[in-house]
Amino acid sequence: MNLPLVSPIPPPDQELLLKSCLFNDDLLKKAFYAWKNLVNFETDIYHHSFRQLPLLYFNLSKNGIDDPLMLRLKGIYRKSWSKNQLLFHKAAKIIKLLQDNEIPVIVIKGIALSILVYKNVAVRPMADIDILVPVSKAEAAFGLLNQSHWISIDPANDDYYLKNGKSLTMTDEDDTELDLHWYPFFECFDLMNENDFWDQAVPVVISGVKTLALCPADELLLTVVHGLMPNVEPPIRWIPDSMVILTSTDLTIDWTRFLDYAKKFHVVIQIIEGLKYLKETFNAPIPTHIYSEILQLKPSLTDKMVYKYGKRQGVFVYHPSHEKLAFLYTDFLKHHPTKNIFHRYVGFLKYMRNRIKGKPVFRIMIYYLSFFIKQNSRKWSGKLIAK
Amino acid sequence: MELSEKLKVNTPNVVHETIDGEAILLDLNTGNYFSLDGLGAVVWEFIDKHGNWVKALEIMKSANVGQEKSVTEVVTNFVEQLCAEKLLVPLNDESRDDISQEIASQLAAVAHSFASLRINKYSDMQDLLLLDPIHEVDEKGWPESRDITETESPEKE
């Protein structure tokens, strides 16, 4: 199957910016001045680059670089620090509310990375608060937050997302965004045991409130999977986030767990692509034997389907038929891993019959056919052109 | 205002960080943002680490012989304002009296600029957070807006 993978490689200007954020001494100077020559600071700094500027300031300052941009970069750092502090403060209140109602909380992404990995409040700007609660407590957590004036941004589909999603986005009266997750990433949907991710969670304190964060291996997996998610514009932040996890001397990555989870949740393509890029471009300190093992991984059909269709955007019914079928086929493969082609196709028909109980069989066949044509049209058109 | 000799940062309501010689402070309850430059940042760090602002005053007076009265007035006023803003609160434990030579020397080295001791206060965080820190700020960077008439000017205290 020839799936077009979204490249995790940022364009040259962003790569230089990231090197300026992560490298030291001469390598930093070389990257920073090359970046400055390539971009116009007044006009060329868009969202994803902008979010790296506090880290750029921090790294330039640490390396004693003096530059006319420093004062404005320092201002960006101050703003990020202030905004993040306010988000931490709000997050602490949410965590306390949930804990008081016997709902444990793991902080993920920005808050966890800032405290445990970057150990700096400013360098990783956050747009929202991301928390994880146990799958079995998702509905209760959502209800509690609702009572505390956190409102879902898509209330008509709350029930749908609670049953079929990985998270819900809520906002408060100040328009602060909260992502309430019960799966760290969508690929875990239905594959996660209750204890997964929770069993190795590590303690963390947010604005005086004790809670949990993912262990380094799980946070790295989440960062890479999220970063490598199909996107029009890849969110380059996964690169510094991963690099800082990998280079932190006080964090120990359980690589066995990392690889086991990558296989279990069918995110093998993401980790191959992601870690290969980090190793080749940023000389990421991945143990040699682990890196060799990663490069030798052979993504299965399920891994490929999950990579392309594992994360669905929005509500299922609004997707075109061929995508719906791809989502269902991916779900089927996740739960019925088999290499036998006959079992894959016949099993899928049986699976579909169970999924759409009472609906006419010809409808399944139409979906199936449209999916098959869509998947193979590129191959057929290529052959026709070749002829 | 009667000032306690020993003070501490009003945590967890107040968060602070010193970056490149500037202390930035945020009151999480009010959203008020403060900045202390140069000497102000050193005095803030001295109080945060050692809790005794009177000792900071003594070091500054020793570094400004002949101007003790002015130094006392300026420093007392500065600390009073920090307390009035509830950034500092009385410290009751006795544990932080030891003064490191490093911070004492640092304070003595910049004590001559006591006349510049001041607090920059920015009180509308919601507006400040909307400010584009690349295009809408002056050469000092956020939160100093480029056109002072468009956003609230800092209250120099």
Side-chain angles (χ1 to χ4, degrees), chain A residues 96-109:
Chain A
K96 182 86 177 41
L97 168 78
L98 296 172
Q99 286 177 345
D100 286 348
N101 287 277
E102 295 178 351
I103 300 176
V105 175
I106 288 181
V107 284
I108 56 173
K109 301 183 186 174

Side-chain angles (χ1 to χ4, degrees), chain B residues 126-139:
Chain B
Q126 288 302 325
D127 283 349
L128 289 175
L129 290 179
L130 292 174
L131 200 63
D132 172 350
I134 291 184
H135 303 104
E136 295 173 0
V137 295
D138 73 6
E139 71 281 359

